Amino acid sequence: MESQAPSDTTDAAVPTEPAEAPRATANRSTTPGSEAFRAYIGSGWAERPEVTPAPRAQASFAAARRARVSELFPGKRLIIPAGRLKQRSNDTDYPFRPHSAFAHLTGWGSDSEPGSVLVLEPTADGHEATLYFRERAGRDSDEFYANPEIGEFWIGARPSLAQVAGDLDLPTRALAEVDPLLDEADGETIILREADPAITDRVDAARMVLWDDTDGDRDPEDHEDDDRLARDLSELRLIKDDFEVGELRAAVAATARGFDDVLADLPQIVANARGERLIEGAFYTRARVEGNAVGYDTIAASGPHACILHWTRNDGPVVPGDLVLLDAGVEVDSLYTADITRTFPVDGTFGETQRLVYEAVLEAADAAFAIVRPGIRFREIHAAAMAVIARRTAEWGLLPVTAEEALEAENQHHRRYMVHGTSHHLGLDVHDCAQARRDLYLDGTLEPGMVFTIEPGLYFQPDDLTVPERFRGIGVRIEDNILVTAGGAENLSTAIPRTADDVEAWVRRLSAR
């Protein structure tokens, strides 16, 4: 990685720090500060054409989403920050990803600017939306060359206000202009608290000072309205619009190609002592080629690691005769992500017990999918899968009670081998809509446009003495992404091989290339 300061130490002038120098660089900065340098670096640049793009496809959908939020909060100023860069170590940061609610309401995805703020200002007939962000600085400014966090010499070209306004079909203003709105915040201002703690602190401080006594006994530290905004923005994403469904299809298709990439690399993967890392790397390459990144840390779990539900260390070998559980999803540039799991035999053939377990999990997944249609409750999907899991584990003699007894709420013995849930909503977040109310999520009724996973599994830990030795160390999960339609449901990931026979043929075909 390049040093965070120019290396020229021959300038006789005493260096001066730019007004907004990045953290932890002041003690080693060698940025020239002479007037001659400033004049020279700020001159001699070609004119850059200002091209204002036509609105992106998502712009009209984002406008419709903002209109729905406006209806929920009449007369209230709404502040939805994008968030800021998050420190990884010292003066290096994680790649920026805006808060999902901000992306949902603006249409700005992987190309969004850190620190941006969306404000919905109340009007007589709704709200006027404005996007505040820090546009590019001129080449005659210190920022251009001396600030590695935002300077274009360091991170590349940044957009102008006019370009973003045209791209998102949304009025834009300089970021500094949002300051008065933050400093005059009171009970009529509502903020998405979790998105940007620094902005939230400013709003809270303003509320303490400016709270109108006519509001009675309301406590400025009462965040009920803020919490309702977070909840409503989460619930707004429960039903996907046509644009969102299209992006999820694209994410699933890219993920399918990523799985193919992994299988094609199996000979190299098996030959490496940390083959799981090669699986992770092969999939990540596809995610970067076709999207923004992965939607979550890839689980590349081989052998007994497949029994660890969130195994992301991915540092183990991939051994012929074992199974690999690969749970991965491509996040496309709009930030919608797939979430798919396939379990496959390293050498292309399931062992007898491996196939027995695999087919039980597939049966559970198919049973859950079979009941999906508008009008059923979300929790019924899990119940359908668990009925199969309980029956099969009872048949194998693993339970101290019958399947029927295990399914009773006070028992649940079969859950020892599958402690996680069967489904979660999917979208901008891999676990989307997480702040929605229980009666709209777990106890909610399915509606067309909902997208979620179905992902039963069975996990027999290597040291689990309740199961015969032949089961120990086997972990299987099969996960698909499901769209509720007017007439039932569509499995968006059904093109990725699912049956045991198809998976075997898939592995043999691709790994033999």
Side-chain angles (χ1 to χ4, degrees):
M1 172 179 282
E2 289 296 326
S3 171
Q4 292 256 297
S7 59
D8 181 8
T9 60
T10 62
D11 197 322
V14 176
T16 59
E17 283 297 300
E20 295 190 31
R23 57 183 174 269
T25 62
N27 66 338
R28 60 183 176 84
S29 175
T30 58
T31 305
S34 68
E35 288 303 320
F37 172 81
R38 291 172 184 265
Y40 188 60
I41 198 171
S43 64
W45 301 103
E47 289 292 325
R48 290 189 295 192
E50 178 77 5
V51 178
T52 302
R56 62 179 62 184
Q58 193 175 358
S60 60
F61 292 93
R65 299 164 197 158
R66 293 193 298 270
R68 290 168 60 192
V69 175
S70 177
E71 294 172 357
L72 296 172
F73 295 90
K76 302 288 188 179
R77 174 187 291 141
L78 307 179
I79 299 176
I80 299 97
R84 307 189 185 206
L85 289 166
K86 293 181 173 60
Q87 184 179 12
R88 182 183 185 276
S89 63
N90 191 24
D91 53 358
T92 62
D93 298 301
Y94 289 104
F96 177 67
R97 187 191 190 281
H99 192 282
S100 294
F102 175 90
H104 192 236
L105 296 179
T106 62
W108 222 359
S110 63
D111 54 343
S112 57
E113 287 289 319
S116 303
V117 183
L118 175 67
V119 176
L120 274 62
E121 190 71 20
T123 64
D125 57 354
H127 285 81
E128 179 181 358
T130 303
L131 177 60
Y132 297 82
F133 74 96
R134 184 168 186 164
E135 71 170 331
R136 65 188 181 204
R139 284 166 167 167
D140 57 349
S141 70
D142 286 357
E143 176 186 299
F144 168 59
Y145 64 86
N147 192 324
E149 289 185 10
I150 58 176
E152 291 191 13
F153 226 124
W154 296 89
I155 65 171
R158 293 168 52 226
S160 69
L161 293 174
Q163 286 173 326
V164 173
D167 187 12
L168 301 181
D169 197 19
L170 184 61
T172 57
R173 292 183 183 174
L175 183 60
E177 294 184 44
V178 81
D179 289 345
L181 302 182
L182 304 179
D183 293 336
E184 68 183 28
D186 59 12
E188 302 308 306
T189 298
I190 305 176
I191 184 169
L192 183 63
R193 302 187 64 82
E194 67 183 20
D196 189 325
I199 290 180
T200 298
D201 287 346
R202 287 185 63 181
V203 168
D204 284 348
R207 286 169 172 170
M208 295 289 290
V209 174
L210 300 175
W211 200 273
D212 187 350
D213 290 338
T214 62
D215 285 342
D217 295 330
R218 291 185 64 185
D219 183 351
E221 295 186 359
D222 178 5
H223 304 145
E224 180 178 353
D225 286 343
D226 297 342
D227 294 343
R228 184 165 70 91
L229 175 63
R231 182 200 73 194
D232 289 353
L233 293 180
S234 192
E235 292 174 355
L236 183 65
R237 305 205 303 270
L238 281 168
I239 299 176
K240 272 57 181 179
D241 57 39
D242 289 344
F243 178 87
E244 294 177 285
V245 171
E247 292 300 288
L248 287 166
R249 290 186 188 279
V252 168
T255 299
R257 289 186 284 274
F259 277 50
D260 284 351
D261 293 343
V262 168
L263 295 185
D265 282 353
L266 265 181
Q268 294 77 26
I269 290 167
V270 170
N272 193 284
R274 295 206 290 181
E276 291 175 343
R277 289 280 167 94
L278 272 67
I279 292 175
E280 179 184 351
F283 188 84
Y284 185 75
T285 298
R286 176 63 62 176
R288 290 294 282 168
V289 167
E290 297 205 23
N292 178 48
V294 290
Y296 53 96
D297 288 342
T298 296
I299 298 170
S302 182
H305 289 163
C307 301
I308 302 171
L309 299 181
H310 283 176
W311 173 259
T312 56
R313 190 183 305 167
N314 299 341
D315 61 357
V318 176
V319 179
D322 282 347
L323 301 180
V324 169
L325 187 158
L326 176 56
D327 186 335
V330 172
E331 177 186 84
V332 292
D333 284 318
S334 60
L335 305 182
Y336 289 85
T337 185
D339 179 10
I340 296 166
T341 306
R342 290 294 185 265
T343 306
F344 58 87
V346 175
D347 56 9
T349 303
F350 286 103
E352 180 181 357
T353 305
Q354 291 172 344
R355 178 179 278 263
L356 182 70
V357 175
Y358 187 93
E359 291 186 337
V361 173
L362 182 64
E363 181 185 357
D366 289 345
F369 178 73
I371 71 165
V372 176
R373 63 183 184 279
I376 73 162
R377 296 205 174 276
F378 190 75
R379 62 165 56 250
E380 294 178 52
I381 302 168
H382 177 70
M386 288 304 95
V388 175
I389 296 297
R391 184 173 69 254
R392 291 304 182 196
T393 52
E395 287 176 357
W396 300 336
L398 308 185
L399 305 183
V401 296
T402 66
E404 292 74 19
E405 291 171 326
L407 288 167
E408 294 175 0
E410 64 271 21
N411 291 326
Q412 301 291 299
H413 298 83
H414 59 293
R415 296 298 301 279
R416 177 185 179 111
Y417 312 111
M418 181 187 155
V419 298
H420 62 79
T422 302
S423 298
H424 59 79
H425 281 269
L426 181 67
L428 282 166
D429 291 337
V430 65
H431 294 160
D432 210 23
C433 316
Q435 292 168 297
R437 286 166 288 186
R438 183 185 178 93
D439 59 335
L440 295 181
Y441 198 129
L442 183 61
D443 295 325
T445 300
L446 297 193
E447 298 182 47
M450 289 184 169
V451 179
F452 48 79
T453 66
I454 291 180
E455 51 177 310
L458 280 169
Y459 315 91
F460 301 111
Q461 302 293 334
D463 56 353
D464 189 343
L465 300 182
T466 69
V467 300
E469 186 173 356
R470 67 189 180 105
F471 285 94
R472 296 174 196 165
I474 295 177
V476 173
R477 180 162 66 251
I478 302 170
E479 178 179 20
D480 288 290
N481 300 166
I482 311 301
L483 168 67
V484 181
T485 64
E490 176 186 352
N491 184 341
L492 300 178
S493 48
T494 191
I496 305 175
R498 298 177 71 253
T499 69
D501 289 344
D502 287 347
V503 168
E504 288 181 339
W506 183 37
V507 174
R508 292 170 185 167
R509 174 172 54 85
L510 290 177
S511 63
R513 287 182 179 178

